[in-house]
Amino acid sequence: MTPKSRLHIPQPSARPGDAPDFSYLSLSDAGAVARPDSDTPASQIENLASDLVRVLDDDGIAQGEWVPDLTTDQLLEALRMMLLTRQFDARMQRAQRQGKISFYMQSLGEEAISIAQGMALEPGDMMFPSYRNQGLFIIRGTSLVDLMCQCLSNTRDMCKGRQMPIMYHNKQANLFSVSGNLATQYPHAVGWAMASAIKGEEHIASAWVGDGSTAEADFHYALTFAAVYQAPVILNVVNNQWAISTFQGFAGGERRSFAARGLGLGIPGVRVDGNDLLAVYAVTQWAAQRARQGGGPTLIEHVTYRGGAHSTSDDPSRYRPKNEWDAFPLGDPVMRLKQHLVNTGYWSDEQHAALEEELKTFVNEAWKEAVTYGTMTEGPRLDVRVMFDDVYAEVPPHLERQRQQLLALREQSE
Amino acid sequence: MTPKSRLHIPQPSARPGDAPDFSYLSLSDAGAVARPDSDTPASQIENLASDLVRVLDDDGIAQGEWVPDLTTDQLLEALRMMLLTRQFDARMQRAQRQGKISFYMQSLGEEAISIAQGMALEPGDMMFPSYRNQGLFIIRGTSLVDLMCQCLSNTRDMCKGRQMPIMYHNKQANLFSVSGNLATQYPHAVGWAMASAIKGEEHIASAWVGDGSTAEADFHYALTFAAVYQAPVILNVVNNQWAISTFQGFAGGERRSFAARGLGLGIPGVRVDGNDLLAVYAVTQWAAQRARQGGGPTLIEHVTYRGGAHSTSDDPSRYRPKNEWDAFPLGDPVMRLKQHLVNTGYWSDEQHAALEEELKTFVNEAWKEAVTYGTMTEGPRLDVRVMFDDVYAEVPPHLERQRQQLLALREQSE
Amino acid sequence: MSQMNMIQAVRSALDVMMHKDPTVIILGQDVGYFGGVFRCTDGLQEKYGEHRVIDAPIAEGGIIGSAIGIGVNGLRPVAEIQFADYIYPGLDQIISELARLRYRSGGEFFSPVTVRAPCGGGIRGGQTHSQSPEALFTHLSGVKTVMPSSPYDAKGLLISAIESDDPVIFFEPKRIYNGPFDGDPNKPAVPWSKHPGGEVPEDYYSIPLGKAEVVEEGDDLTIITYGTMVHVAQAAVHKAGISADVIDVRSLVPLDVETLKTSVEKTGRCLITHEASRFGGYGAELVATVQEECFWHLQAPIERVAGWETPYPHAFEWDYFPAQDRIIASIQKIMEAV
Amino acid sequence: MSQMNMIQAVRSALDVMMHKDPTVIILGQDVGYFGGVFRCTDGLQEKYGEHRVIDAPIAEGGIIGSAIGIGVNGLRPVAEIQFADYIYPGLDQIISELARLRYRSGGEFFSPVTVRAPCGGGIRGGQTHSQSPEALFTHLSGVKTVMPSSPYDAKGLLISAIESDDPVIFFEPKRIYNGPFDGDPNKPAVPWSKHPGGEVPEDYYSIPLGKAEVVEEGDDLTIITYGTMVHVAQAAVHKAGISADVIDVRSLVPLDVETLKTSVEKTGRCLITHEASRFGGYGAELVATVQEECFWHLQAPIERVAGWETPYPHAFEWDYFPAQDRIIASIQKIMEAV
Ligand SMILES: Cc1ncc(C[n+]2csc(CCOP(=O)(O)OP(=O)(O)O)c2C)c(N)n1
Ligand SMILES: Cc1ncc(C[n+]2csc(CCOP(=O)(O)OP(=O)(O)O)c2C)c(N)n1
Ligand SMILES: [Mg+2]
Ligand SMILES: [Mg+2]
């Protein structure tokens, strides 16, 4: 073999020890991108897939046509929900470190996406989250205790002990079951939206995947089916720059944005500042309106940054600069909304600190309650009998037999 | 359920009984599309994915910047090869009707694509054909007898009786084994090209799929990997307007061209008149040069029409107008090249008719030879022993045992 | 009562269910305007509209994946995969999602998808149109797997599959779409009108999943099989001139162990046959189950007659197919054992 | 000789082969700069360059599909699938292409791809990081399937897999990456340095595919197993205080029938155990094979001890896992039979 090679290997802009470098990110100024009517044909708004819709400028002032109709109360509630998500994450991260739960994944730095979209969509709209959308569960009112009990696989676990932490669902709140398999929820969302259209209902569907997951087949299937049937669905790509150790270039992000992935099928793409709650809200509302009007799918790329490790099993210091997040030009979504509210006079550092304290206490109270339902190491434990339920709608004879076998064995050993 | 629905169902422009209508096809005039340098960045040539590169105009005159450097001898050879492909198809179609082979698929109307691309690529370039690329086998010198023997599953069958008709390969000629599974060859081509780049070789790969097959996962995988690694590969979509009974709208072709499918990954797309041998040749050369220069993949959409039934199992009169092909605005590739050659004075109707006769005889002679190696119903038959070969590199004991078992059974019954 | 072939019976099941339950919809390649490459959905789009009988892109994973979402939204999708050989791009959605959705969500979400796919050889389909991949599904927890051997069963079982809130993989042996087949390709084709299994009620009826059928009764031997091989096995039994129980498993998962047990305890001898290749095939589970349940009654080793451990070859279709001669040879071996 | 755990042994095999054969390349998610989520490729990219240890997009079908093409072009790809639970999007390329390419092309094309995937439970992975899907592969004609139970075997078998011109699916039981595991999660972890299987030569050596190993010899019973369960079975045998052959199948396909036969003919009793769920699992084939080959020697029904027929549940990992107590209960049942 000759050493000569033209195989292109994507290179991140910085590795451990290097200075962070986000010059590869193309940014628009806040307010710079025009807001077309939501029924504009896809072919006339291809720029939205390359530009970056931003509302909050560097001083936290809302700018331009995309400024959404949100009251101060709504904005304060959004801030509260983002902070709550962050406090929840921090508490659960700690629980994992303490050996109380087996695994955890934070959404640090990406909170604006779930909270804004949760606010922009209607309760009847169905959501198909990824594992980094805990904010959707929170904004849709899932109790923290329920979320914690899922992570604890305890007696109150909604999943009855069957899933690793963070694989939540909330049927009542129209939140689909999170899968451990990447991107599989994408065609589900499209199918759900197709059914909504078949039934003539107004509800739309929305799904989330990460940048890395766009390489999976289900991403392609979903886009194809959404385009063919003009399904009322919002397909979100949360581009947090990293999969596990590979940056978004390994998902094909080096040359075009992820928002552009559907253009070849006639699916409009919108690239939005994912750390700008106002922008995400506005873009989501736009896409939802488009879908409800019969305008079909929209692909939204949220440009953000994974502030923490991929999961509690990961150590990002092995593959990216430690301080990369600090250098991220779109900042921290919590700080940006806070700055906006402080600027507009409705919020202060003191109030913010007080809110943080209040939420910390709230989360700690929830945790205290959750562990009363059991942890991995102590307290009540789920009845092992449920292991054999729900494989089928009714427990078939062979599973009943296996259940009895196990119970007999357990009795014997007691 | 309410009858109300917004589910969009793609509708072909005409059904049996309707007048054919190709107004949905956007066409450029011959010579109208500029030819950029083959190293132009993808972002600057997105128009090529929407325009239609054409060289031969309605009078058969070659026009514009894409006129390739082909001698008259080469053009005459191309015409001969297209005609040979067509005669071969006709003969094999008849063989199927006569019960001599179990199945067949013609490439009627699509001959220019395989012949032009076979001429434009280098012998060391690896081809990953679909089942409708028999022209590639012919232009690369596979003997008709070999092709026929494959279809006959007889004693000279290159596949040793294991494949249905038309699943050829030609290792020496760098033609990969045709698969019955749609689109699976696409990632193979990309992988092959990656290996070429790893080894630092000049060879490129090329793969073909139909419009309908673009919906498969492998299409997406191939595009993603080709874009990420900038693999030296030409990815062809032969858009013959129909899958089996569904038109190209069911593969997402209603809003954008298939050539546009890679734009979101930064893969340049070129939409070409697939019935214009000169245009296909020119575009292929352009893409090959681009790949060899390290410019990575190109997606070529060949706009053509499936002149015949999908296969011998199909009856297209059930789902499309009988005379649709006659109305196809890009005509018949054979007639168009013929017209060009007649116009330039190097060819005549008489010569054409004589060539047809000559090739018919040639094909018939080949068929006569092929059947001496056996048919489904008579003549020599493949030794059943080979059924157990080539499952693994070496026949493992369990397969040897099974072979002996079968042979014992056969002896017994004699 | 009508005479129906298996295609008509499948179509009738779909028709009855679409009429009865407005949430039933069909999705698949060429199933709509065209009526399916095997004509199983012929006329249904005209009758029920384009929004209930839906032509799909050529993307098996997308068909199954979107069907799951459709099912979660309260409809009851029947997905057609054009050939069982092409179900593999949909395997991830079946294995990782469809089969485990109810379980992983603590029983709160489910999707009642039925996946229909023509399977099996004997139609000169070569290695890509002849496969019997049932064993890849029967190992999964959370899906049911069914294969009928007659029009009557096809309709009754398909109706149960569609009505089931569990996902069902429904394999249709295409070699017997038009008539029962005894394994001899040189004999003239027999139509279903000549077979009692071709008598099919036009209206609704269902056959419960999880019940095998003893299609022929005898004392000396138990043959356990399903699909096309039911007919081949019966012909072999007659030709061999022995008295055997021939059991059509029908529902591969859940398996009707009791029926197998009762029979093998009676006969003490057992032969298992299927078209799929032997190693790791569904027959292996049948052997394991029978030997676990009936060990003390067995008077001879359980024999398997199955496809060879090679792909299904085009030219050697009838050498590959586990035909009567191979079954008879095994019957003799079993009966000789003392 | 060195002390290696299974991760180091796998890495050593890759290193040895990359050094020996410049056509060997590695492709997979996070395998390059990072060295793999289980660190099996740590340091290899630095040593052999970015063009031989290649980070891949998150697309298992694309990894296998492109690896096939890479192999056809004369290189020898080793593809890593991050967890066996995520191999399903690649199944179509494995089943329809990789396994059958040589056959369908009359022996002219082939692709010597090795697919590595960590499998099995016991690491709190829940239903999506605990699966043992080997039975989906062992039914295929044209691929070989391997699962080692020690660092020594892992290296020797992986080298054979890479050298093989046949495609090999190579499952690595991740529960024993760092040490043998007897099935009791409450006991302190044992490192490989305390086990003879942790003695691994640093240089090239290979263990032929298709050969089982009798890891423990005895007279009363044969236990057939593989992967993590080899250690659990051995512990159970010791605890039960019986004398048993414990056979590590190692190469699931092709299967070393002779070794099984010799043992069961000697002992007359047989137990089969694996982590995967029982119905239609690889154990079914083992039962079928043993009963076919050794029927007249069997003094008791062959027992299977396997995962329950449910997905692998997070909270009930140790109830699901076929631990010593279940094996011992079955041993007793087998030994009591007369
Ligand atoms: C089908 C599949 N393949 C691989 C994995 C392992 N895995 C889990 S998360 C992850 C990275 C995903 O990156 P991205 O899509 O960008 O999402 P993010 O974690 O950044 O939110 C990988 C490879 C998986 N869960 N599923
Ligand atoms: C994976 C897979 N799914 C379905 C089929 C059945 N099938 C064979 S050809 C065909 C239509 C393909 O249409 P297109 O890609 O446009 O190619 P064309 O036949 O027009 O050249 C279908 C659905 C198949 N062969 N493989
Ligand atoms: Mg990411
Ligand atoms: Mg087509």
Side-chain angles (χ1 to χ4, degrees):
Chain A
M1 278 213 324
T2 85
K4 186 174 152 204
S5 165
R6 286 178 324 216
L7 191 77
H8 171 76
I9 305 291
Q11 301 295 341
S13 57
R15 285 295 191 187
D18 298 341
D21 176 4
F22 285 102
S23 59
Y24 69 86
L25 269 187
S26 105
L27 305 175
S28 309
D29 285 337
V33 180
R35 182 186 188 281
D37 285 339
S38 64
D39 58 0
T40 314
S43 58
Q44 290 167 33
I45 49 176
E46 293 208 346
N47 69 297
L48 291 180
S50 308
D51 297 343
L52 186 69
V53 175
R54 305 180 67 183
V55 168
L56 293 176
D57 68 15
D58 291 347
D59 301 318
I61 315 293
Q63 303 279 10
E65 299 176 7
W66 288 93
V67 177
D69 228 1
L70 280 167
T71 64
T72 303
D73 278 353
Q74 285 176 302
L75 289 175
L76 286 170
E77 177 64 12
L79 183 68
R80 186 186 184 88
M81 289 291 119
M82 283 206 278
L83 267 178
L84 181 57
T85 305
R86 189 167 287 188
Q87 295 286 359
F88 173 72
D89 273 349
R91 186 67 196 79
M92 299 312 286
Q93 178 85 3
R94 196 140 52 85
Q96 196 277 339
R97 293 295 178 231
Q98 295 167 334
K100 303 283 183 198
I101 62 175
S102 61
F103 176 83
Y104 194 68
M105 295 178 105
Q106 299 184 84
S107 62
L108 185 65
E110 306 176 21
E111 297 91 345
I113 299 162
S114 291
I115 299 304
Q117 300 201 277
M119 290 172 70
L121 294 173
E122 299 294 328
D125 297 337
M126 184 76 189
M127 293 177 165
F128 294 80
S130 90
Y131 50 67
R132 226 181 280 285
N133 290 115
Q134 39 269 59
L136 292 175
F137 287 87
I138 290 176
I139 185 87
R140 283 210 162 172
T142 319
S143 90
L144 296 195
V145 176
D146 282 343
L147 298 178
M148 289 165 167
C149 288
Q150 193 283 325
C151 293
L152 286 157
S153 279
N154 68 15
T155 55
R156 192 172 143 175
D157 173 10
M158 59 179 82
C159 298
K160 301 186 186 163
R162 293 165 190 158
Q163 295 248 63
M164 282 174 74
I166 64 113
M167 307 285 176
Y168 320 109
H169 63 267
N170 187 336
K171 180 108 193 271
Q172 287 63 43
N174 284 322
L175 280 151
F176 191 64
S177 158
V178 173
S179 180
N181 300 64
L182 296 170
T184 46
Q185 69 274 24
Y186 242 49
H188 302 166
V190 173
W192 196 97
M194 286 169 65
S196 181
I198 291 170
K199 293 191 279 183
E201 294 174 352
E202 291 302 309
H203 310 308
I204 69 171
S206 189
W208 288 260
V209 292
D211 46 299
S213 305
T214 60
E216 290 286 6
D218 284 322
F219 181 77
H220 177 63
Y221 292 142
L223 263 65
T224 304
F225 279 61
V228 166
Y229 302 112
Q230 291 290 290
V233 64
I234 301 178
L235 297 169
N236 299 283
V237 175
V238 179
N239 179 1
N240 62 7
Q241 314 306 316
W242 291 91
I244 299 181
S245 73
T246 53
F247 82 115
Q248 43 91 22
F250 277 98
E254 285 192 303
R255 281 163 210 86
R256 284 298 298 271
S257 71
F258 291 90
R261 292 297 170 83
L263 298 183
L265 281 156
I267 299 177
V270 186
R271 194 163 165 264
V272 65
D273 177 347
N275 290 0
D276 175 345
L277 180 119
L278 283 77
V280 173
Y281 182 92
V283 163
T284 306
Q285 233 188 8
W286 182 91
Q289 198 180 345
R290 186 176 179 91
R292 266 186 254 282
Q293 285 162 341
T298 300
L299 182 63
I300 302 179
E301 173 185 354
H302 304 266
V303 181
T304 183
Y305 187 85
R306 195 190 77 210
H310 171 72
S311 73
T312 47
S313 315
D314 178 43
D315 173 10
S317 73
R318 299 184 88 116
Y319 54 79
R320 67 182 193 185
K322 278 214 167 88
N323 56 343
E324 209 177 51
W325 191 27
D326 301 334
F328 186 62
L330 301 176
D332 171 340
V334 171
M335 287 306 130
R336 286 181 63 199
L337 184 59
K338 177 192 167 204
Q339 180 194 28
H340 173 66
L341 285 164
V342 170
N343 280 348
T344 48
Y346 294 102
W347 198 239
S348 67
D349 285 340
E350 296 67 39
Q351 283 171 300
H352 196 81
L355 177 61
E356 281 188 317
E357 271 317 301
E358 178 201 328
L359 295 175
K360 196 176 267 178
T361 310
F362 180 67
V363 170
N364 281 332
E365 291 302 318
W367 178 252
K368 274 188 210 142
E369 182 182 345
V371 296
T372 65
Y373 299 102
T375 71
M376 267 174 29
T377 46
E378 52 207 32
R381 298 203 49 191
L382 265 170
D383 186 339
V384 73
R385 265 175 271 237
V386 309
M387 179 162 76
F388 299 93
D389 291 335
D390 303 321
V391 181
Y392 297 95
E394 286 165 26
V395 179
H398 69 275
L399 285 177
E400 192 51 53
R401 216 177 310 131
Q402 293 177 26
R403 169 148 60 196
Q404 296 312 326
Q405 241 178 291
L406 178 64
L407 292 177
L409 205 70
R410 287 287 169 274
E411 255 169 45
Q412 212 177 298
S413 69
E414 261 150 33
Chain B
M1 282 216 318
T2 85
K4 185 174 151 205
S5 166
R6 286 178 323 214
L7 191 76
H8 171 76
I9 305 291
Q11 300 295 338
S13 58
R15 285 294 193 189
D18 297 342
D21 176 4
F22 284 103
S23 59
Y24 68 87
L25 270 187
S26 104
L27 305 175
S28 309
D29 286 337
V33 180
R35 182 185 187 280
D37 285 341
S38 63
D39 58 1
T40 313
S43 59
Q44 289 168 34
I45 48 175
E46 294 209 344
N47 68 295
L48 292 180
S50 306
D51 297 344
L52 186 69
V53 175
R54 304 180 68 183
V55 168
L56 293 176
D57 70 13
D58 291 346
D59 301 320
I61 315 292
Q63 304 277 10
E65 299 176 7
W66 288 93
V67 177
D69 227 2
L70 281 167
T71 64
T72 303
D73 278 355
Q74 285 177 301
L75 290 175
L76 286 171
E77 178 63 12
L79 183 67
R80 185 186 186 87
M81 289 290 120
M82 283 207 279
L83 266 179
L84 182 57
T85 305
R86 190 167 288 188
Q87 293 286 358
F88 173 72
D89 273 350
R91 186 67 196 79
M92 299 312 286
Q93 178 84 2
R94 197 140 52 82
Q96 196 278 339
R97 292 297 178 229
Q98 294 166 336
K100 303 285 182 196
I101 62 174
S102 61
F103 176 83
Y104 195 69
M105 296 179 104
Q106 300 184 85
S107 62
L108 185 66
E110 306 176 22
E111 296 91 345
I113 298 161
S114 291
I115 300 304
Q117 300 202 275
M119 290 172 69
L121 294 173
E122 299 295 328
D125 295 337
M126 184 76 189
M127 295 178 162
F128 295 81
S130 90
Y131 51 69
R132 226 182 278 286
N133 289 114
Q134 39 269 62
L136 292 175
F137 288 85
I138 290 176
I139 185 86
R140 284 211 161 172
T142 320
S143 91
L144 296 195
V145 176
D146 282 344
L147 298 178
M148 289 167 169
C149 288
Q150 194 283 325
C151 292
L152 285 157
S153 279
N154 67 15
T155 54
R156 193 172 142 177
D157 172 10
M158 59 178 83
C159 298
K160 301 187 186 165
R162 291 162 191 161
Q163 293 248 62
M164 281 176 74
I166 63 113
M167 306 285 176
Y168 319 110
H169 64 268
N170 186 336
K171 180 109 192 270
Q172 285 64 42
N174 283 323
L175 279 152
F176 191 63
S177 159
V178 173
S179 179
N181 301 65
L182 295 170
T184 46
Q185 69 274 23
Y186 242 49
H188 301 166
V190 173
W192 196 97
M194 287 169 64
S196 181
I198 291 170
K199 294 190 279 182
E201 294 174 351
E202 290 303 310
H203 310 309
I204 69 170
S206 189
W208 287 261
V209 291
D211 46 296
S213 305
T214 59
E216 290 287 6
D218 284 321
F219 181 77
H220 177 64
Y221 293 142
L223 264 65
T224 304
F225 280 60
V228 167
Y229 301 112
Q230 291 290 288
V233 64
I234 301 178
L235 298 169
N236 299 283
V237 175
V238 179
N239 178 1
N240 62 8
Q241 313 306 318
W242 290 91
I244 298 180
S245 73
T246 52
F247 81 116
Q248 43 90 24
F250 277 99
E254 285 192 304
R255 281 164 210 86
R256 283 298 297 270
S257 71
F258 291 90
R261 291 296 169 84
L263 297 184
L265 281 156
I267 298 177
V270 186
R271 193 165 164 261
V272 64
D273 177 347
N275 290 0
D276 176 343
L277 180 118
L278 284 77
V280 173
Y281 183 92
V283 163
T284 306
Q285 234 189 7
W286 183 91
Q289 197 181 345
R290 187 177 179 91
R292 264 185 256 280
Q293 286 163 339
T298 300
L299 182 63
I300 302 179
E301 173 185 353
H302 304 266
V303 180
T304 183
Y305 186 85
R306 195 190 77 210
H310 171 72
S311 73
T312 48
S313 315
D314 178 43
D315 173 11
S317 72
R318 297 185 89 118
Y319 54 78
R320 69 183 192 185
K322 278 214 168 89
N323 56 342
E324 209 177 47
W325 192 26
D326 302 334
F328 186 62
L330 302 177
D332 172 340
V334 171
M335 288 304 130
R336 285 181 64 200
L337 184 58
K338 176 191 166 205
Q339 182 195 26
H340 174 65
L341 285 163
V342 169
N343 280 349
T344 47
Y346 295 101
W347 198 240
S348 68
D349 285 341
E350 295 69 38
Q351 284 171 300
H352 196 82
L355 178 61
E356 281 189 316
E357 270 318 300
E358 179 201 328
L359 295 174
K360 195 176 269 175
T361 309
F362 179 69
V363 171
N364 280 333
E365 290 303 316
W367 178 251
K368 272 189 212 144
E369 182 184 345
V371 294
T372 66
Y373 299 102
T375 71
M376 267 175 27
T377 46
E378 53 208 33
R381 298 202 51 190
L382 266 170
D383 186 339
V384 73
R385 265 174 271 237
V386 309
M387 180 162 78
F388 299 92
D389 292 334
D390 303 321
V391 180
Y392 297 95
E394 286 165 26
V395 179
H398 68 275
L399 285 177
E400 192 51 54
R401 218 178 306 130
Q402 292 178 25
R403 169 149 59 195
Q404 297 311 327
Q405 240 177 292
L406 178 63
L407 291 177
L409 205 70
R410 286 288 169 273
E411 256 169 44
Q412 213 177 298
S413 69
E414 263 151 29
Chain C
M1 275 300 177
S2 286
Q3 296 290 352
M4 293 189 198
N5 63 27
M6 201 185 280
I7 292 166
Q8 292 162 330
V10 164
R11 193 190 303 141
S12 175
L14 294 168
D15 191 4
V16 162
M17 284 309 297
M18 293 196 81
H19 180 78
K20 183 166 186 271
D21 179 352
T23 68
V24 174
I25 67 135
I26 294 175
L27 183 69
Q29 294 157 25
D30 302 294
V31 300
Y33 186 87
F34 187 58
V37 297
F38 289 106
R39 325 289 324 135
C40 288
T41 55
D42 194 24
L44 295 178
Q45 185 179 78
E46 218 176 342
K47 190 162 174 187
Y48 297 103
E50 289 187 317
H51 295 103
R52 291 189 61 201
V53 185
I54 307 172
D55 278 316
I58 304 175
E60 291 75 12
I63 291 172
I64 311 247
S66 63
I68 293 173
I70 291 171
V72 167
N73 200 352
L75 301 184
R76 205 166 269 277
V78 184
E80 176 177 306
I81 300 296
Q82 207 161 74
F83 285 88
D85 315 61
Y86 302 137
I87 202 167
Y88 310 125
L91 276 186
D92 184 48
Q93 281 286 347
I94 293 174
I95 298 174
S96 304
E97 298 294 322
L98 188 57
R100 293 193 257 123
L101 176 57
R102 183 190 293 275
Y103 193 74
R104 81 173 195 228
S105 66
E108 292 198 67
F109 285 101
F110 71 98
S111 188
V113 177
T114 300
V115 180
R116 293 180 40 241
C119 71
I123 60 145
R124 283 250 164 214
Q127 51 127 15
T128 55
H129 299 80
S130 304
Q131 295 165 42
S132 295
E134 65 274 5
L136 304 190
F137 300 90
T138 53
H139 183 43
L140 308 177
S141 303
V143 292
K144 296 178 172 174
T145 303
V146 173
M147 196 189 296
S149 72
S150 72
Y152 180 83
D153 280 4
K155 178 169 173 179
L157 291 167
L158 181 54
I159 285 177
S160 288
I162 296 171
E163 288 184 324
S164 170
D165 280 347
D166 295 316
V168 181
I169 314 294
F170 192 87
F171 288 116
E172 301 168 6
K174 56 186 176 296
R175 172 71 216 204
I176 56 171
Y177 264 159
N178 289 304
F181 172 65
D182 72 1
D184 183 350
N186 301 314
K187 280 212 278 192
V190 180
W192 277 113
S193 54
K194 298 257 160 67
H195 188 283
E199 294 274 299
V200 182
E202 269 159 51
D203 294 339
Y204 173 95
Y205 68 95
S206 68
I207 299 174
L209 308 183
K211 293 270 166 253
E213 196 193 6
V214 183
V215 294
E216 168 144 353
E217 285 192 65
D219 299 316
D220 302 336
L221 170 69
T222 300
I223 298 190
I224 308 174
T225 184
Y226 49 93
T228 302
M229 294 308 294
V230 170
H231 306 280
V232 182
Q234 284 189 276
V237 163
H238 301 158
K239 193 159 168 193
I242 61 147
S243 165
D245 272 359
V246 178
I247 301 179
D248 178 0
V249 168
R250 299 198 296 198
S251 162
L252 280 61
V253 174
L255 173 63
D256 179 359
V257 178
E258 278 315 307
T259 299
L260 311 189
K261 203 173 150 184
T262 308
S263 174
V264 178
E265 286 182 355
K266 174 180 70 175
T267 63
R269 297 173 198 257
C270 179
L271 180 151
I272 284 156
T273 179
H274 56 54
E275 264 186 83
S277 61
R278 192 173 85 144
F279 198 89
Y282 183 70
E285 180 57 45
L286 290 174
V287 173
T289 299
V290 169
Q291 96 68 56
E292 280 155 14
E293 298 286 337
C294 313
F295 180 82
W296 302 108
H297 293 83
L298 284 174
Q299 294 164 40
I302 306 164
E303 287 271 322
R304 285 183 287 173
V305 180
W308 305 112
E309 282 148 42
T310 78
Y312 214 121
H314 182 251
F316 307 116
E317 180 154 54
W318 302 116
D319 300 293
Y320 184 90
F321 191 90
Q324 287 184 40
D325 55 349
R326 288 183 56 205
I327 297 177
I328 291 170
S330 280
I331 289 177
Q332 282 162 354
K333 206 169 143 205
I334 296 174
M335 297 316 295
E336 280 160 16
V338 272
Chain D
M1 274 300 179
S2 285
Q3 297 289 352
M4 293 189 198
N5 64 26
M6 200 184 280
I7 291 166
Q8 292 162 328
V10 164
R11 193 190 304 140
S12 175
L14 294 168
D15 192 3
V16 162
M17 285 309 297
M18 293 195 83
H19 180 77
K20 182 168 186 273
D21 178 354
T23 69
V24 173
I25 68 136
I26 294 174
L27 184 69
Q29 293 158 24
D30 303 293
V31 300
Y33 185 89
F34 187 58
V37 297
F38 289 104
R39 324 288 325 135
C40 288
T41 56
D42 194 24
L44 296 179
Q45 184 180 78
E46 217 175 342
K47 189 161 173 189
Y48 297 104
E50 289 187 318
H51 295 103
R52 291 188 62 199
V53 185
I54 307 172
D55 277 318
I58 305 175
E60 291 75 11
I63 291 172
I64 311 248
S66 63
I68 294 173
I70 290 170
V72 167
N73 199 355
L75 301 183
R76 207 165 268 279
V78 183
E80 176 176 308
I81 299 296
Q82 206 160 74
F83 286 87
D85 315 59
Y86 302 138
I87 201 168
Y88 310 126
L91 275 186
D92 185 47
Q93 281 286 347
I94 293 174
I95 298 174
S96 303
E97 299 293 323
L98 188 57
R100 292 193 257 123
L101 176 56
R102 184 190 293 275
Y103 194 74
R104 82 173 195 229
S105 66
E108 293 197 64
F109 284 101
F110 72 97
S111 188
V113 177
T114 300
V115 180
R116 292 180 42 241
C119 71
I123 61 146
R124 283 250 166 216
Q127 51 127 14
T128 55
H129 300 80
S130 305
Q131 296 167 39
S132 296
E134 64 274 6
L136 304 191
F137 299 90
T138 53
H139 183 43
L140 307 177
S141 303
V143 292
K144 296 177 173 175
T145 303
V146 173
M147 195 188 297
S149 73
S150 73
Y152 179 83
D153 280 4
K155 178 169 174 181
L157 290 167
L158 181 54
I159 285 177
S160 289
I162 296 171
E163 289 184 323
S164 170
D165 279 348
D166 295 315
V168 180
I169 314 295
F170 193 87
F171 287 116
E172 300 167 6
K174 57 187 176 294
R175 173 70 217 203
I176 54 171
Y177 264 157
N178 290 305
F181 173 65
D182 73 0
D184 183 350
N186 300 317
K187 279 214 276 195
V190 180
W192 277 113
S193 54
K194 299 255 159 68
H195 188 283
E199 294 273 300
V200 182
E202 269 160 50
D203 294 339
Y204 174 94
Y205 68 95
S206 68
I207 298 174
L209 308 183
K211 294 270 166 251
E213 195 192 8
V214 184
V215 294
E216 167 142 354
E217 285 192 65
D219 298 317
D220 302 338
L221 170 70
T222 300
I223 298 190
I224 308 174
T225 185
Y226 49 93
T228 303
M229 293 308 294
V230 170
H231 306 281
V232 182
Q234 284 189 275
V237 162
H238 302 158
K239 192 159 172 195
I242 61 146
S243 165
D245 272 358
V246 178
I247 301 179
D248 178 358
V249 168
R250 300 198 295 198
S251 163
L252 281 61
V253 175
L255 173 63
D256 179 358
V257 178
E258 279 315 307
T259 299
L260 312 188
K261 205 175 148 182
T262 308
S263 173
V264 178
E265 285 181 358
K266 174 180 72 175
T267 63
R269 298 174 196 258
C270 179
L271 181 151
I272 284 156
T273 179
H274 57 55
E275 264 186 83
S277 62
R278 192 173 85 142
F279 199 88
Y282 183 71
E285 179 57 45
L286 290 174
V287 173
T289 298
V290 169
Q291 92 74 50
E292 280 155 14
E293 299 285 337
C294 315
F295 181 81
W296 303 106
H297 294 83
L298 284 174
Q299 294 164 40
I302 306 163
E303 287 270 320
R304 284 183 288 172
V305 180
W308 306 111
E309 282 148 42
T310 78
Y312 215 120
H314 182 252
F316 306 117
E317 180 155 52
W318 302 117
D319 300 292
Y320 184 89
F321 192 89
Q324 288 183 40
D325 55 349
R326 288 183 56 206
I327 296 176
I328 291 169
S330 279
I331 289 177
Q332 283 162 352
K333 204 168 145 207
I334 295 173
M335 298 315 295
E336 280 160 15
V338 272

